[in-house]
Amino acid sequence: MQNECKRPIPPDVKRKLLQSRIEADELSQREIRCPHCGFLIQKVYSDATGHLSIKCQKCKSVSVLNLAYFRKAKIRIRKRNYIRKIKY
C-alpha cells in the first residue's frame, strides 16, 4: 500500500528519504517498552541517543526515557565475566 499524499514530495526530500533508508539498512533495531506494563511503544535504531518522552497506549502512563538506560547488555560480556568467576 503506497502512501497517498495530496501534494507531491519535493526531489530533495525524496533524496533525503532514500538516503535515510539506505543508512538504516545497516543498523539494528531494538524495542522500547513501557517501563510500567511492558507494552511495545516504539522501535529505535542502534544509533539512537538522547531522551524520549513517551505515552503508553495501553496503560496511559507518561514517562521520559533516556535511551542509554534502556539498552540490553551484550550477552558475550556476561558469559566472559561468568566464566572468569567460575575459574577462580
Side-chain angles (χ1 to χ4, degrees):
M1 185 174 177
Q2 293 277 341
N3 279 344
E4 296 181 20
C5 297
K6 293 183 179 181
R7 62 178 193 185
I9 300 173
D12 60 329
V13 174
K14 282 185 181 180
R15 182 183 52 78
K16 291 176 185 176
L17 288 170
L18 179 62
Q19 184 65 30
S20 297
R21 185 177 303 152
I22 291 169
E23 292 170 357
D25 286 341
E26 299 172 3
L27 301 172
S28 61
Q29 282 189 349
R30 59 189 170 98
E31 297 176 343
I32 301 295
R33 296 190 171 270
C34 176
H36 303 283
C37 69
F39 185 75
L40 177 64
I41 295 173
Q42 188 173 5
K43 291 185 178 182
V44 296
Y45 287 97
S46 58
D47 65 344
T49 59
H51 293 79
L52 184 67
S53 177
I54 54 109
K55 179 177 180 182
C56 180
Q57 294 177 354
K58 185 176 181 182
C59 69
K60 308 300 184 217
S61 66
V62 178
S63 303
V64 176
L65 305 177
N66 183 344
L67 294 176
Y69 298 154
F70 288 86
R71 290 195 176 149
K72 292 182 180 178
K74 294 182 181 179
I75 295 172
R76 62 183 162 177
I77 293 174
R78 287 188 200 163
K79 287 181 181 177
R80 192 177 304 142
N81 290 339
Y82 182 72
I83 292 170
R84 285 183 192 161
K85 289 180 183 177
I86 292 174
K87 288 182 181 179
Y88 296 110

